[in-house]
Amino acid sequence: MSGAKLRRPLGIIGLCALAAWPIVMSSPYDLRLFTLAGIFAILAIGYQFIFGYVGELSLSQGAFFGLSAYVTGILAAKAGFDFPATFAASIAVSVLLAALISLPVLRLASHYFALATLGIGQVLLLLAIDWQSLTGGAIGLSGVPLPRMFGFQIGRGWPLLLFVWSFVLLAALVAHQTKRGLYGLACHVVRQNAIAARSLAIDPDRIRFAMFLLSAAVAGVAGALHAHTIRIVSPEGLDFKVMISCLTMAVIGGRTHIWGAVAGALLVVHLPEWLRGLEQGYVIVTSGILIAILVLAPEGLAGLVDRLLPAAVGREAIPAAASAPASQVAGEGVLMPSETPILAIRGLTKTFGGVHALNDVTFSLMRGSITAVIGPNGSGKTTLVNCVTGIYRADGGEMVLGGNEISAMNSEDIAARGVGRTFQNLRLVDDMTVLDNVAVARFRTEQTSLGKAFLIGRRDARLERARSHAMHVLRRLGLETSAYLNCGSLAHGTKRLVEIARAICLDPVVLLLDEPAAGLNETEQADLARILEGLAARGLTLLIIEHNMEFLKSLATHMVCLDYGELIASGRPSAIYQDERVIEAYVGRRYGAEAMA
Ligand code: ADP
Ligand code: MG
């Protein structure tokens, strides 16, 4: 039996074992431990949203947990509110805090994000200890009641256990919905390559923000349930140890698998209990076991299972009528090459320290034309593409796309307006299939959002449409046989084509290709040239950075040459090859003579 086929029976066995656990280990103490494991499973599932799905090291999950426990404690023990009110308030306060801190923090680079989120817990801890009248100070608040609602009280033991685990189920469901559709694919791209995401009109900041709030909301659920289970709230709940446990669960279980979070929580809660008999040695043995898991399975237990039993790729997910997507594929219009500039670049300037990477560069791309950008290494070609696509903010000049100024726009908004690109150093997501790498470019067109992801039914119609569109593009580029392979397993030449397919799937009006023929053999180069000609013939405007003059000779309709950031020539390729300055700077006299022969 193949690994993929074993996954389902193993999953069922795992669920049965989980259900049998509290039936077999049914002493009040065991039930309480299992209830606590459920609470930590919720915390870890919530943590996966930020730490797993978008890959940001947040260190505030413990703070949200402790804060919401205090909110529940204060409202239930001191003010006597029932569960529905305390529960809603706990989540709301947690989310509100996340929103407040994420505004300045989420745009920061990763390690600052970690540090900034670390600080929040410390501030709350000081507050909890010092604000005695509200929090009970170092001793905390006791007498938190069991959850009470609509006149019922959830009893301890089994009722509380089932109550808590029903929230584990709910959190798992929310996580599952977030992951499984087009929104989940976008999260994956944001985690692996945020710049690529931006080039596909996906706003990584917005997705990170949503995931951070969601992780705080779910931490709020865990904190509230913890207060009701432990019946006291104390500064211990805000201690950094909680955060460490949460991190351990997510790392041990696996960052992006829901069941990994549950397994991690069960293990981290129970391991010290199982090893209690070892007395002094138990810390060492516990740590040893956790380290062994990390060494043997760096991607966590879930990653280990993935390695041993690779999942089957969901071929059935593409509807049969994939060849006829509802909307047109880019470049399938009937626009003929014209003298209307689709993209006008005027006086573009960019400096890095003392280096003038671009100096007052002015030229236009005509609709349906193929413009080659040539120039020696370091002459500013990539910088030009990065400025046009908003990855770099130019220091001066303007860029007008189809009549709209785009100079001040974000990268993702420029992409949404129809500027597609590929990267000199490939930016594909290696552990995702070719099909999904390409399909994710439909994110903005499909108006994907987290709210809509929650409401996905049996299948995500958005993802299906996106995949079907992507399949259509892949067929046109002759890539359909690679559709279900992971990008990481592809040859270099195929990867270059997949990046082009991905950019085309965005339905761009202008496509910027940064050295698309680099590393391709002659056959591949000829195929690529044919594909690019086909795209231009259908009205797509192309800008191609390339060193290979043979490749460009028959392809380019226009050519510009950069040297030390200055545009030294622009015009028809035949004129450029003869231009004295171009020959001097780049082409070399020999090639110039050959080209003319
Ligand atoms: P090309 O693509 O033509 O080889 P680039 O646009 O990559 O050239 O680089 C142009 C110049 O700008 C080079 O001198 C390079 O070192 C500099 N440069 C490009 N990007 C950066 C950056 N992010 N930081 C500092 N210098 C840069
Ligand atoms: Mg370059």
Side-chain angles (χ1 to χ4, degrees), residues 155-190:
R156 44 174 113 224
W158 271 102
L160 187 62
L161 181 147
L162 291 176
F163 188 66
V164 163
W165 277 85
S166 62
F167 282 101
V168 178
L169 207 63
L170 193 66
L173 188 69
V174 170
H176 181 60
Q177 292 294 87
T178 306
K179 276 172 62 171
R180 64 196 272 246
L182 191 51
Y183 192 88
L185 278 192
C187 289
H188 193 158
V189 179
V190 166

PDB file of all heavy atoms in Angstrom, residues 155-190:
ATOM      1  N   GLY A 155     -20.260  21.122  34.617  1.00  0.00           N
ATOM      2  CA  GLY A 155     -19.634  20.493  35.779  1.00  0.00           C
ATOM      3  C   GLY A 155     -18.188  20.129  35.514  1.00  0.00           C
ATOM      4  O   GLY A 155     -17.746  20.102  34.365  1.00  0.00           O
ATOM      5  N   ARG A 156     -17.446  19.837  36.588  1.00  0.00           N
ATOM      6  CA  ARG A 156     -16.056  19.433  36.348  1.00  0.00           C
ATOM      7  C   ARG A 156     -16.006  17.987  35.850  1.00  0.00           C
ATOM      8  O   ARG A 156     -17.027  17.311  35.804  1.00  0.00           O
ATOM      9  CB  ARG A 156     -15.176  19.633  37.575  1.00  0.00           C
ATOM     10  CG  ARG A 156     -15.674  19.242  38.812  1.00  0.00           C
ATOM     11  CD  ARG A 156     -14.785  19.298  40.009  1.00  0.00           C
ATOM     12  NE  ARG A 156     -15.261  20.309  40.936  1.00  0.00           N
ATOM     13  CZ  ARG A 156     -14.474  21.155  41.538  1.00  0.00           C
ATOM     14  NH1 ARG A 156     -13.200  21.137  41.303  1.00  0.00           N
ATOM     15  NH2 ARG A 156     -14.953  22.038  42.378  1.00  0.00           N
ATOM     16  N   GLY A 157     -14.818  17.524  35.487  1.00  0.00           N
ATOM     17  CA  GLY A 157     -14.687  16.174  34.949  1.00  0.00           C
ATOM     18  C   GLY A 157     -15.119  16.121  33.492  1.00  0.00           C
ATOM     19  O   GLY A 157     -14.755  16.992  32.703  1.00  0.00           O
ATOM     20  N   TRP A 158     -15.930  15.125  33.184  1.00  0.00           N
ATOM     21  CA  TRP A 158     -16.321  14.918  31.787  1.00  0.00           C
ATOM     22  C   TRP A 158     -17.002  16.120  31.127  1.00  0.00           C
ATOM     23  O   TRP A 158     -16.639  16.476  29.994  1.00  0.00           O
ATOM     24  CB  TRP A 158     -17.231  13.682  31.661  1.00  0.00           C
ATOM     25  CG  TRP A 158     -16.431  12.433  31.441  1.00  0.00           C
ATOM     26  CD1 TRP A 158     -16.123  11.488  32.371  1.00  0.00           C
ATOM     27  CD2 TRP A 158     -15.825  12.024  30.217  1.00  0.00           C
ATOM     28  NE1 TRP A 158     -15.359  10.502  31.808  1.00  0.00           N
ATOM     29  CE2 TRP A 158     -15.161  10.800  30.485  1.00  0.00           C
ATOM     30  CE3 TRP A 158     -15.747  12.547  28.935  1.00  0.00           C
ATOM     31  CZ2 TRP A 158     -14.449  10.101  29.515  1.00  0.00           C
ATOM     32  CZ3 TRP A 158     -15.052  11.857  27.963  1.00  0.00           C
ATOM     33  CH2 TRP A 158     -14.411  10.651  28.252  1.00  0.00           C
ATOM     34  N   PRO A 159     -17.998  16.773  31.799  1.00  0.00           N
ATOM     35  CA  PRO A 159     -18.660  17.896  31.097  1.00  0.00           C
ATOM     36  C   PRO A 159     -17.667  18.976  30.672  1.00  0.00           C
ATOM     37  O   PRO A 159     -17.688  19.436  29.532  1.00  0.00           O
ATOM     38  CB  PRO A 159     -19.643  18.432  32.130  1.00  0.00           C
ATOM     39  CG  PRO A 159     -19.913  17.281  33.040  1.00  0.00           C
ATOM     40  CD  PRO A 159     -18.632  16.495  33.098  1.00  0.00           C
ATOM     41  N   LEU A 160     -16.758  19.332  31.578  1.00  0.00           N
ATOM     42  CA  LEU A 160     -15.790  20.391  31.246  1.00  0.00           C
ATOM     43  C   LEU A 160     -14.852  19.924  30.135  1.00  0.00           C
ATOM     44  O   LEU A 160     -14.516  20.684  29.223  1.00  0.00           O
ATOM     45  CB  LEU A 160     -15.001  20.780  32.503  1.00  0.00           C
ATOM     46  CG  LEU A 160     -14.079  21.986  32.333  1.00  0.00           C
ATOM     47  CD1 LEU A 160     -14.874  23.234  31.981  1.00  0.00           C
ATOM     48  CD2 LEU A 160     -13.259  22.234  33.602  1.00  0.00           C
ATOM     49  N   LEU A 161     -14.462  18.633  30.238  1.00  0.00           N
ATOM     50  CA  LEU A 161     -13.568  18.084  29.210  1.00  0.00           C
ATOM     51  C   LEU A 161     -14.218  18.174  27.822  1.00  0.00           C
ATOM     52  O   LEU A 161     -13.614  18.648  26.857  1.00  0.00           O
ATOM     53  CB  LEU A 161     -13.239  16.631  29.570  1.00  0.00           C
ATOM     54  CG  LEU A 161     -12.288  15.871  28.640  1.00  0.00           C
ATOM     55  CD1 LEU A 161     -11.457  14.874  29.452  1.00  0.00           C
ATOM     56  CD2 LEU A 161     -12.991  15.121  27.532  1.00  0.00           C
ATOM     57  N   LEU A 162     -15.478  17.766  27.752  1.00  0.00           N
ATOM     58  CA  LEU A 162     -16.156  17.795  26.450  1.00  0.00           C
ATOM     59  C   LEU A 162     -16.367  19.233  25.982  1.00  0.00           C
ATOM     60  O   LEU A 162     -16.246  19.540  24.791  1.00  0.00           O
ATOM     61  CB  LEU A 162     -17.506  17.067  26.543  1.00  0.00           C
ATOM     62  CG  LEU A 162     -17.380  15.553  26.738  1.00  0.00           C
ATOM     63  CD1 LEU A 162     -18.757  14.924  26.919  1.00  0.00           C
ATOM     64  CD2 LEU A 162     -16.661  14.915  25.542  1.00  0.00           C
ATOM     65  N   PHE A 163     -16.668  20.104  26.949  1.00  0.00           N
ATOM     66  CA  PHE A 163     -16.856  21.520  26.629  1.00  0.00           C
ATOM     67  C   PHE A 163     -15.577  22.084  25.994  1.00  0.00           C
ATOM     68  O   PHE A 163     -15.600  22.679  24.919  1.00  0.00           O
ATOM     69  CB  PHE A 163     -17.189  22.269  27.932  1.00  0.00           C
ATOM     70  CG  PHE A 163     -17.585  23.701  27.747  1.00  0.00           C
ATOM     71  CD1 PHE A 163     -18.762  24.033  27.094  1.00  0.00           C
ATOM     72  CD2 PHE A 163     -16.786  24.726  28.266  1.00  0.00           C
ATOM     73  CE1 PHE A 163     -19.136  25.366  26.943  1.00  0.00           C
ATOM     74  CE2 PHE A 163     -17.152  26.048  28.109  1.00  0.00           C
ATOM     75  CZ  PHE A 163     -18.329  26.376  27.448  1.00  0.00           C
ATOM     76  N   VAL A 164     -14.434  21.846  26.648  1.00  0.00           N
ATOM     77  CA  VAL A 164     -13.158  22.356  26.141  1.00  0.00           C
ATOM     78  C   VAL A 164     -12.833  21.743  24.786  1.00  0.00           C
ATOM     79  O   VAL A 164     -12.460  22.440  23.839  1.00  0.00           O
ATOM     80  CB  VAL A 164     -12.030  22.072  27.162  1.00  0.00           C
ATOM     81  CG1 VAL A 164     -10.661  22.201  26.513  1.00  0.00           C
ATOM     82  CG2 VAL A 164     -12.146  23.015  28.350  1.00  0.00           C
ATOM     83  N   TRP A 165     -13.001  20.421  24.674  1.00  0.00           N
ATOM     84  CA  TRP A 165     -12.613  19.769  23.415  1.00  0.00           C
ATOM     85  C   TRP A 165     -13.543  20.127  22.254  1.00  0.00           C
ATOM     86  O   TRP A 165     -13.166  20.030  21.094  1.00  0.00           O
ATOM     87  CB  TRP A 165     -12.462  18.256  23.598  1.00  0.00           C
ATOM     88  CG  TRP A 165     -11.088  17.949  24.145  1.00  0.00           C
ATOM     89  CD1 TRP A 165     -10.721  17.959  25.463  1.00  0.00           C
ATOM     90  CD2 TRP A 165      -9.901  17.667  23.398  1.00  0.00           C
ATOM     91  NE1 TRP A 165      -9.377  17.696  25.591  1.00  0.00           N
ATOM     92  CE2 TRP A 165      -8.846  17.500  24.327  1.00  0.00           C
ATOM     93  CE3 TRP A 165      -9.608  17.534  22.053  1.00  0.00           C
ATOM     94  CZ2 TRP A 165      -7.535  17.216  23.955  1.00  0.00           C
ATOM     95  CZ3 TRP A 165      -8.302  17.238  21.664  1.00  0.00           C
ATOM     96  CH2 TRP A 165      -7.281  17.086  22.604  1.00  0.00           C
ATOM     97  N   SER A 166     -14.755  20.580  22.574  1.00  0.00           N
ATOM     98  CA  SER A 166     -15.598  21.056  21.469  1.00  0.00           C
ATOM     99  C   SER A 166     -15.016  22.354  20.898  1.00  0.00           C
ATOM    100  O   SER A 166     -15.148  22.629  19.704  1.00  0.00           O
ATOM    101  CB  SER A 166     -17.047  21.240  21.916  1.00  0.00           C
ATOM    102  OG  SER A 166     -17.111  22.221  22.915  1.00  0.00           O
ATOM    103  N   PHE A 167     -14.331  23.117  21.750  1.00  0.00           N
ATOM    104  CA  PHE A 167     -13.644  24.307  21.223  1.00  0.00           C
ATOM    105  C   PHE A 167     -12.375  23.926  20.444  1.00  0.00           C
ATOM    106  O   PHE A 167     -11.980  24.639  19.530  1.00  0.00           O
ATOM    107  CB  PHE A 167     -13.303  25.284  22.355  1.00  0.00           C
ATOM    108  CG  PHE A 167     -14.499  26.086  22.800  1.00  0.00           C
ATOM    109  CD1 PHE A 167     -15.188  25.751  23.956  1.00  0.00           C
ATOM    110  CD2 PHE A 167     -14.958  27.159  22.048  1.00  0.00           C
ATOM    111  CE1 PHE A 167     -16.311  26.465  24.354  1.00  0.00           C
ATOM    112  CE2 PHE A 167     -16.064  27.885  22.447  1.00  0.00           C
ATOM    113  CZ  PHE A 167     -16.746  27.533  23.592  1.00  0.00           C
ATOM    114  N   VAL A 168     -11.737  22.820  20.831  1.00  0.00           N
ATOM    115  CA  VAL A 168     -10.595  22.349  20.039  1.00  0.00           C
ATOM    116  C   VAL A 168     -11.080  22.052  18.621  1.00  0.00           C
ATOM    117  O   VAL A 168     -10.471  22.453  17.628  1.00  0.00           O
ATOM    118  CB  VAL A 168      -9.972  21.062  20.646  1.00  0.00           C
ATOM    119  CG1 VAL A 168      -8.814  20.562  19.771  1.00  0.00           C
ATOM    120  CG2 VAL A 168      -9.505  21.310  22.073  1.00  0.00           C
ATOM    121  N   LEU A 169     -12.235  21.391  18.566  1.00  0.00           N
ATOM    122  CA  LEU A 169     -12.825  21.038  17.268  1.00  0.00           C
ATOM    123  C   LEU A 169     -13.125  22.295  16.456  1.00  0.00           C
ATOM    124  O   LEU A 169     -12.834  22.377  15.257  1.00  0.00           O
ATOM    125  CB  LEU A 169     -14.110  20.254  17.524  1.00  0.00           C
ATOM    126  CG  LEU A 169     -14.535  19.289  16.435  1.00  0.00           C
ATOM    127  CD1 LEU A 169     -13.496  18.195  16.266  1.00  0.00           C
ATOM    128  CD2 LEU A 169     -15.892  18.682  16.794  1.00  0.00           C
ATOM    129  N   LEU A 170     -13.681  23.273  17.137  1.00  0.00           N
ATOM    130  CA  LEU A 170     -14.052  24.523  16.459  1.00  0.00           C
ATOM    131  C   LEU A 170     -12.795  25.236  15.926  1.00  0.00           C
ATOM    132  O   LEU A 170     -12.757  25.688  14.774  1.00  0.00           O
ATOM    133  CB  LEU A 170     -14.783  25.421  17.457  1.00  0.00           C
ATOM    134  CG  LEU A 170     -15.506  26.605  16.866  1.00  0.00           C
ATOM    135  CD1 LEU A 170     -16.659  26.122  16.006  1.00  0.00           C
ATOM    136  CD2 LEU A 170     -16.038  27.515  17.980  1.00  0.00           C
ATOM    137  N   ALA A 171     -11.760  25.306  16.773  1.00  0.00           N
ATOM    138  CA  ALA A 171     -10.516  25.963  16.349  1.00  0.00           C
ATOM    139  C   ALA A 171      -9.907  25.218  15.162  1.00  0.00           C
ATOM    140  O   ALA A 171      -9.427  25.828  14.197  1.00  0.00           O
ATOM    141  CB  ALA A 171      -9.519  26.012  17.509  1.00  0.00           C
ATOM    142  N   ALA A 172      -9.974  23.871  15.237  1.00  0.00           N
ATOM    143  CA  ALA A 172      -9.428  23.068  14.136  1.00  0.00           C
ATOM    144  C   ALA A 172     -10.203  23.336  12.853  1.00  0.00           C
ATOM    145  O   ALA A 172      -9.628  23.435  11.772  1.00  0.00           O
ATOM    146  CB  ALA A 172      -9.487  21.584  14.495  1.00  0.00           C
ATOM    147  N   LEU A 173     -11.494  23.510  12.982  1.00  0.00           N
ATOM    148  CA  LEU A 173     -12.331  23.768  11.807  1.00  0.00           C
ATOM    149  C   LEU A 173     -11.970  25.119  11.179  1.00  0.00           C
ATOM    150  O   LEU A 173     -11.822  25.237   9.953  1.00  0.00           O
ATOM    151  CB  LEU A 173     -13.802  23.757  12.235  1.00  0.00           C
ATOM    152  CG  LEU A 173     -14.801  23.809  11.092  1.00  0.00           C
ATOM    153  CD1 LEU A 173     -14.760  22.494  10.314  1.00  0.00           C
ATOM    154  CD2 LEU A 173     -16.224  24.051  11.628  1.00  0.00           C
ATOM    155  N   VAL A 174     -11.811  26.121  12.025  1.00  0.00           N
ATOM    156  CA  VAL A 174     -11.434  27.451  11.520  1.00  0.00           C
ATOM    157  C   VAL A 174     -10.074  27.370  10.807  1.00  0.00           C
ATOM    158  O   VAL A 174      -9.879  27.917   9.719  1.00  0.00           O
ATOM    159  CB  VAL A 174     -11.379  28.484  12.674  1.00  0.00           C
ATOM    160  CG1 VAL A 174     -10.754  29.788  12.217  1.00  0.00           C
ATOM    161  CG2 VAL A 174     -12.772  28.730  13.219  1.00  0.00           C
ATOM    162  N   ALA A 175      -9.133  26.643  11.417  1.00  0.00           N
ATOM    163  CA  ALA A 175      -7.804  26.506  10.816  1.00  0.00           C
ATOM    164  C   ALA A 175      -7.903  25.780   9.485  1.00  0.00           C
ATOM    165  O   ALA A 175      -7.280  26.165   8.495  1.00  0.00           O
ATOM    166  CB  ALA A 175      -6.880  25.757  11.767  1.00  0.00           C
ATOM    167  N   HIS A 176      -8.721  24.731   9.460  1.00  0.00           N
ATOM    168  CA  HIS A 176      -8.880  23.934   8.249  1.00  0.00           C
ATOM    169  C   HIS A 176      -9.438  24.802   7.111  1.00  0.00           C
ATOM    170  O   HIS A 176      -8.921  24.775   5.987  1.00  0.00           O
ATOM    171  CB  HIS A 176      -9.832  22.777   8.557  1.00  0.00           C
ATOM    172  CG  HIS A 176     -10.065  21.853   7.402  1.00  0.00           C
ATOM    173  ND1 HIS A 176      -9.043  21.162   6.800  1.00  0.00           N
ATOM    174  CD2 HIS A 176     -11.190  21.528   6.726  1.00  0.00           C
ATOM    175  CE1 HIS A 176      -9.540  20.436   5.811  1.00  0.00           C
ATOM    176  NE2 HIS A 176     -10.834  20.662   5.734  1.00  0.00           N
ATOM    177  N   GLN A 177     -10.435  25.599   7.408  1.00  0.00           N
ATOM    178  CA  GLN A 177     -11.032  26.462   6.391  1.00  0.00           C
ATOM    179  C   GLN A 177     -10.016  27.490   5.874  1.00  0.00           C
ATOM    180  O   GLN A 177      -9.971  27.794   4.695  1.00  0.00           O
ATOM    181  CB  GLN A 177     -12.255  27.194   6.962  1.00  0.00           C
ATOM    182  CG  GLN A 177     -13.435  26.308   7.270  1.00  0.00           C
ATOM    183  CD  GLN A 177     -14.039  25.701   6.010  1.00  0.00           C
ATOM    184  OE1 GLN A 177     -13.599  24.659   5.550  1.00  0.00           O
ATOM    185  NE2 GLN A 177     -15.040  26.352   5.427  1.00  0.00           N
ATOM    186  N   THR A 178      -9.223  28.001   6.801  1.00  0.00           N
ATOM    187  CA  THR A 178      -8.232  29.009   6.418  1.00  0.00           C
ATOM    188  C   THR A 178      -7.201  28.438   5.460  1.00  0.00           C
ATOM    189  O   THR A 178      -6.736  29.102   4.538  1.00  0.00           O
ATOM    190  CB  THR A 178      -7.515  29.530   7.684  1.00  0.00           C
ATOM    191  OG1 THR A 178      -8.506  29.977   8.595  1.00  0.00           O
ATOM    192  CG2 THR A 178      -6.573  30.671   7.367  1.00  0.00           C
ATOM    193  N   LYS A 179      -6.849  27.154   5.698  1.00  0.00           N
ATOM    194  CA  LYS A 179      -5.747  26.552   4.949  1.00  0.00           C
ATOM    195  C   LYS A 179      -6.126  25.996   3.594  1.00  0.00           C
ATOM    196  O   LYS A 179      -5.320  25.974   2.687  1.00  0.00           O
ATOM    197  CB  LYS A 179      -5.206  25.361   5.762  1.00  0.00           C
ATOM    198  CG  LYS A 179      -4.211  25.722   6.804  1.00  0.00           C
ATOM    199  CD  LYS A 179      -3.901  24.529   7.664  1.00  0.00           C
ATOM    200  CE  LYS A 179      -3.279  23.401   6.858  1.00  0.00           C
ATOM    201  NZ  LYS A 179      -2.775  22.323   7.713  1.00  0.00           N
ATOM    202  N   ARG A 180      -7.348  25.504   3.480  1.00  0.00           N
ATOM    203  CA  ARG A 180      -7.596  24.578   2.372  1.00  0.00           C
ATOM    204  C   ARG A 180      -7.836  25.240   1.024  1.00  0.00           C
ATOM    205  O   ARG A 180      -7.685  24.603  -0.003  1.00  0.00           O
ATOM    206  CB  ARG A 180      -8.762  23.666   2.721  1.00  0.00           C
ATOM    207  CG  ARG A 180     -10.066  24.395   2.897  1.00  0.00           C
ATOM    208  CD  ARG A 180     -11.044  23.503   3.612  1.00  0.00           C
ATOM    209  NE  ARG A 180     -11.786  22.688   2.682  1.00  0.00           N
ATOM    210  CZ  ARG A 180     -13.094  22.800   2.475  1.00  0.00           C
ATOM    211  NH1 ARG A 180     -13.795  23.703   3.138  1.00  0.00           N
ATOM    212  NH2 ARG A 180     -13.693  22.032   1.612  1.00  0.00           N
ATOM    213  N   GLY A 181      -8.183  26.495   0.986  1.00  0.00           N
ATOM    214  CA  GLY A 181      -8.548  27.101  -0.296  1.00  0.00           C
ATOM    215  C   GLY A 181      -7.480  28.017  -0.862  1.00  0.00           C
ATOM    216  O   GLY A 181      -6.294  27.936  -0.512  1.00  0.00           O
ATOM    217  N   LEU A 182      -7.926  28.903  -1.727  1.00  0.00           N
ATOM    218  CA  LEU A 182      -7.016  29.850  -2.369  1.00  0.00           C
ATOM    219  C   LEU A 182      -6.363  30.769  -1.329  1.00  0.00           C
ATOM    220  O   LEU A 182      -5.202  31.159  -1.465  1.00  0.00           O
ATOM    221  CB  LEU A 182      -7.807  30.678  -3.394  1.00  0.00           C
ATOM    222  CG  LEU A 182      -7.025  31.544  -4.370  1.00  0.00           C
ATOM    223  CD1 LEU A 182      -5.934  30.761  -5.073  1.00  0.00           C
ATOM    224  CD2 LEU A 182      -7.978  32.153  -5.411  1.00  0.00           C
ATOM    225  N   TYR A 183      -7.111  31.085  -0.252  1.00  0.00           N
ATOM    226  CA  TYR A 183      -6.538  31.924   0.798  1.00  0.00           C
ATOM    227  C   TYR A 183      -5.335  31.235   1.456  1.00  0.00           C
ATOM    228  O   TYR A 183      -4.293  31.856   1.688  1.00  0.00           O
ATOM    229  CB  TYR A 183      -7.595  32.263   1.856  1.00  0.00           C
ATOM    230  CG  TYR A 183      -7.158  33.352   2.803  1.00  0.00           C
ATOM    231  CD1 TYR A 183      -7.376  34.683   2.496  1.00  0.00           C
ATOM    232  CD2 TYR A 183      -6.506  33.052   3.992  1.00  0.00           C
ATOM    233  CE1 TYR A 183      -6.959  35.694   3.338  1.00  0.00           C
ATOM    234  CE2 TYR A 183      -6.079  34.056   4.843  1.00  0.00           C
ATOM    235  CZ  TYR A 183      -6.312  35.372   4.516  1.00  0.00           C
ATOM    236  OH  TYR A 183      -5.881  36.372   5.355  1.00  0.00           O
ATOM    237  N   GLY A 184      -5.481  29.948   1.697  1.00  0.00           N
ATOM    238  CA  GLY A 184      -4.390  29.173   2.300  1.00  0.00           C
ATOM    239  C   GLY A 184      -3.164  29.126   1.397  1.00  0.00           C
ATOM    240  O   GLY A 184      -2.029  29.225   1.867  1.00  0.00           O
ATOM    241  N   LEU A 185      -3.395  29.019   0.093  1.00  0.00           N
ATOM    242  CA  LEU A 185      -2.272  29.036  -0.856  1.00  0.00           C
ATOM    243  C   LEU A 185      -1.537  30.365  -0.764  1.00  0.00           C
ATOM    244  O   LEU A 185      -0.307  30.418  -0.771  1.00  0.00           O
ATOM    245  CB  LEU A 185      -2.772  28.873  -2.295  1.00  0.00           C
ATOM    246  CG  LEU A 185      -3.077  27.490  -2.837  1.00  0.00           C
ATOM    247  CD1 LEU A 185      -3.259  27.563  -4.342  1.00  0.00           C
ATOM    248  CD2 LEU A 185      -1.951  26.530  -2.495  1.00  0.00           C
ATOM    249  N   ALA A 186      -2.316  31.439  -0.684  1.00  0.00           N
ATOM    250  CA  ALA A 186      -1.696  32.764  -0.592  1.00  0.00           C
ATOM    251  C   ALA A 186      -0.863  32.881   0.686  1.00  0.00           C
ATOM    252  O   ALA A 186       0.246  33.418   0.665  1.00  0.00           O
ATOM    253  CB  ALA A 186      -2.766  33.850  -0.642  1.00  0.00           C
ATOM    254  N   CYS A 187      -1.377  32.349   1.800  1.00  0.00           N
ATOM    255  CA  CYS A 187      -0.600  32.338   3.053  1.00  0.00           C
ATOM    256  C   CYS A 187       0.730  31.631   2.832  1.00  0.00           C
ATOM    257  O   CYS A 187       1.782  32.094   3.279  1.00  0.00           O
ATOM    258  CB  CYS A 187      -1.354  31.613   4.163  1.00  0.00           C
ATOM    259  SG  CYS A 187      -2.766  32.501   4.786  1.00  0.00           S
ATOM    260  N   HIS A 188       0.656  30.505   2.147  1.00  0.00           N
ATOM    261  CA  HIS A 188       1.859  29.710   1.890  1.00  0.00           C
ATOM    262  C   HIS A 188       2.890  30.534   1.099  1.00  0.00           C
ATOM    263  O   HIS A 188       4.086  30.533   1.415  1.00  0.00           O
ATOM    264  CB  HIS A 188       1.444  28.461   1.107  1.00  0.00           C
ATOM    265  CG  HIS A 188       2.497  27.403   1.044  1.00  0.00           C
ATOM    266  ND1 HIS A 188       2.206  26.092   0.800  1.00  0.00           N
ATOM    267  CD2 HIS A 188       3.836  27.457   1.172  1.00  0.00           C
ATOM    268  CE1 HIS A 188       3.326  25.384   0.798  1.00  0.00           C
ATOM    269  NE2 HIS A 188       4.329  26.192   1.017  1.00  0.00           N
ATOM    270  N   VAL A 189       2.426  31.266   0.106  1.00  0.00           N
ATOM    271  CA  VAL A 189       3.350  32.076  -0.691  1.00  0.00           C
ATOM    272  C   VAL A 189       3.904  33.224   0.151  1.00  0.00           C
ATOM    273  O   VAL A 189       5.099  33.538   0.089  1.00  0.00           O
ATOM    274  CB  VAL A 189       2.658  32.625  -1.961  1.00  0.00           C
ATOM    275  CG1 VAL A 189       3.630  33.472  -2.763  1.00  0.00           C
ATOM    276  CG2 VAL A 189       2.149  31.483  -2.806  1.00  0.00           C
ATOM    277  N   VAL A 190       3.056  33.826   0.973  1.00  0.00           N
ATOM    278  CA  VAL A 190       3.521  34.916   1.840  1.00  0.00           C
ATOM    279  C   VAL A 190       4.617  34.399   2.769  1.00  0.00           C
ATOM    280  O   VAL A 190       5.640  35.060   2.988  1.00  0.00           O
ATOM    281  CB  VAL A 190       2.345  35.495   2.657  1.00  0.00           C
ATOM    282  CG1 VAL A 190       2.846  36.375   3.784  1.00  0.00           C
ATOM    283  CG2 VAL A 190       1.404  36.269   1.734  1.00  0.00           C
TER     284      VAL A 190
END
